[in-house]
Amino acid sequence: MVFFLAALLAITCYGMTLYGTGEFNKAYLDKRNTTAINGIFVILIVFSHYSQYAGFGGVFDAPYIYIKNHLHQMVVATFLFYSGYGMMEQIKKRGTAYVSGIPKRAGKLLFRFDVAVLMFLVMNTLLGAHYAPRRILLSLIGWKALGNSNWYIFDILALYVLMFVAFSIGERLSVSRRLRHEHLPGLVLLFILTLAFVYVMMKTDKPTRWFNTVILFPVGSFYSVFKEDIERLIMRNDVTYYLTLLIMVPVYIFTYLHRRSYGIEGYTLWAFAFIAVVILVTMKVGVYNKILEWFGKHVFSIYILQRIPMILLDHYGFIDAHKYLGLIAAFALTIPLALAFEKATDAVLTVGHKSK
């Protein structure tokens, strides 16, 4: 796996821009740049999911195993943070018009997810699996799974609902109050509702990954609202920037070392520190190229479909026989599958929109 990590590092460094003394990457949160960052992490997620089918453990696998164990759930951190940031940016621009369209956005996501779930159902049935009707129905909302990845989609759908409720109420409150940040009521409600969601999920029998990073979604929205204030403080000059970075590095190390010492609170502090470091690094380092952007643009389809090739390769013994070649095969099969999936679902959604 060390060679795959080296390839990813080479791709990440290709086209990288380093900003010098007194210079900052003003576009660090522009869509194309955040899409490229997400491209890095979706590739790491493919690595991570593939490792569940291939038994990594040799000397050349040790660097990857270390990185995988270190990052843990932070491989989805930027997805949640950038989603919350991007949606908040749209609310700031379009207000209630965007908020009212969130259910439709969630509906499209659910449709695509359900198509993918049915693909897994067909494949696994052909491979001899049998599922109870209740499990199939719960799988269509992401609560259960049919061999597919599901928890992240369930959480995103829930966060869409929470954002819709929070800002539907919050926008009405802000009209009657003269606030410096007019969207603050909605933002506060989003935080409260997300915390309530985390609490409810903690009371279920779901693994911690179902709830230990979702708070980063409202954190992204918070950053959008207070972005100018934060940048004015940190990006004033190199002294304030490097001082902030100097403070955050030990904070990150401390929170990482104690991420499991204080329950969900300790893990949350580490998640905050991780995102803070990502933001600080991207303020000085521009990471963008067409390859990363492509993967970032196709995050959903790659994330949700990657297990289909992996399951098939594992079922027919290819991964056992060719552990590393299997990863290349997984990418080679997932990419055209993702493109075909997007083309088909986009066509259906376009027809549905025109028929209304």
Side-chain angles (χ1 to χ4, degrees):
M1 281 300 293
V2 68
F3 300 107
F4 289 97
L5 281 178
L8 177 57
L9 179 61
I11 293 171
T12 301
C13 292
Y14 176 69
M16 181 181 288
T17 304
L18 302 178
Y19 290 79
T21 304
E23 297 179 328
F24 292 95
N25 179 18
K26 300 292 186 179
Y28 70 104
L29 283 175
D30 283 5
K31 186 171 179 59
R32 78 169 204 158
N33 292 315
T34 58
T35 299
I37 297 293
N38 282 343
I40 298 171
F41 286 103
V42 78
I43 293 172
L44 285 171
I45 287 174
V46 175
F47 289 176
S48 178
H49 287 174
Y50 182 79
S51 70
Q52 297 170 12
Y53 302 91
F56 293 137
V59 63
F60 290 110
D61 299 328
Y64 169 71
I65 293 172
Y66 173 80
I67 291 173
K68 179 190 174 187
N69 291 338
H70 179 95
L71 288 175
H72 199 237
Q73 286 305 109
M74 291 307 112
V75 289
V76 301
T78 61
F79 299 158
L80 290 160
F81 179 83
Y82 290 151
S83 292
Y85 172 84
M87 292 181 73
M88 190 68 240
E89 286 290 292
Q90 290 301 313
I91 291 174
K92 285 160 59 178
K93 293 175 183 177
R94 298 166 55 190
T96 55
Y98 182 80
V99 173
S100 62
I102 292 177
K104 184 177 180 180
R105 182 188 182 97
K108 289 181 177 180
L109 176 62
L110 183 60
F111 168 74
R112 290 189 171 94
F113 176 70
D114 286 346
V115 172
V117 169
L118 293 176
M119 291 170 65
F120 276 89
L121 176 61
V122 171
M123 177 190 68
N124 288 326
T125 300
L126 292 174
L127 293 178
H130 300 281
Y131 302 104
R134 183 173 182 272
R135 180 171 176 179
I136 295 173
L137 290 174
L138 290 175
S139 295
L140 293 175
I141 60 169
W143 189 252
K144 294 289 185 179
L146 304 179
N148 58 291
S149 301
N150 62 319
W151 72 267
Y152 179 78
I153 303 303
F154 178 86
D155 282 2
I156 285 293
L157 289 169
L159 289 168
Y160 281 0
V161 172
L162 298 183
M163 177 167 263
F164 173 72
V165 172
F167 284 93
S168 292
I169 298 171
E171 293 299 290
R172 293 190 182 95
L173 292 175
S174 65
V175 171
S176 61
R177 303 184 179 205
R178 301 185 68 180
L179 300 172
R180 180 186 173 193
H181 298 288
E182 60 179 305
H183 303 291
L184 191 58
L187 182 60
V188 172
L189 281 172
L190 178 61
F191 260 101
I192 293 172
L193 291 174
T194 304
L195 289 173
F197 174 77
V198 171
Y199 177 79
V200 170
M201 293 303 297
M202 288 176 67
K203 297 302 180 180
T204 69
D205 60 350
K206 298 297 187 184
T208 55
R209 64 177 176 272
W210 283 68
F211 55 82
N212 60 11
T213 53
V214 292
I215 195 65
L216 294 177
F217 183 87
V219 168
S221 297
F222 173 92
Y223 195 90
S224 171
V225 171
F226 294 96
K227 177 185 174 184
E228 292 182 1
D229 299 316
I230 295 170
E231 290 180 348
R232 193 177 300 115
L233 175 65
I234 297 175
M235 300 171 73
R236 180 182 303 172
N237 51 53
D238 281 346
V239 173
T240 56
Y241 171 79
Y242 284 112
L243 180 61
T244 306
L245 186 61
L246 188 63
I247 293 171
M248 281 310 307
V249 169
V251 168
Y252 177 84
I253 295 171
F254 178 84
T255 55
Y256 171 75
L257 293 175
H258 295 278
R259 66 196 184 285
R260 294 191 177 96
S261 302
Y262 307 101
I264 185 64
E265 293 84 358
Y267 202 92
T268 299
L269 290 175
W270 175 46
F272 288 171
F274 180 86
I275 282 298
V277 170
V278 170
I279 290 172
L280 286 169
V281 170
T282 54
M283 282 179 173
K284 274 287 189 180
V285 181
V287 178
Y288 172 81
N289 61 60
K290 291 293 184 180
I291 299 173
L292 293 178
E293 184 183 35
W294 187 92
F295 277 98
K297 283 182 176 178
H298 302 279
V299 162
F300 173 79
S301 54
I302 292 172
Y303 171 81
I304 204 63
L305 296 175
Q306 61 184 293
R307 287 188 184 271
I308 289 180
M310 292 177 190
I311 290 172
L312 291 172
L313 291 168
D314 183 54
H315 179 81
Y316 290 107
F318 189 87
I319 293 177
D320 286 338
H322 310 282
K323 182 166 59 175
Y324 301 110
L325 194 59
L327 180 53
I328 297 173
F331 271 105
L333 293 170
T334 298
I335 289 172
L337 181 63
L339 291 174
F341 173 83
E342 290 175 3
K343 186 174 182 179
T345 53
D346 285 348
V348 173
L349 289 170
T350 300
V351 171
H353 177 73
K354 290 181 178 179
S355 64
K356 292 183 179 180

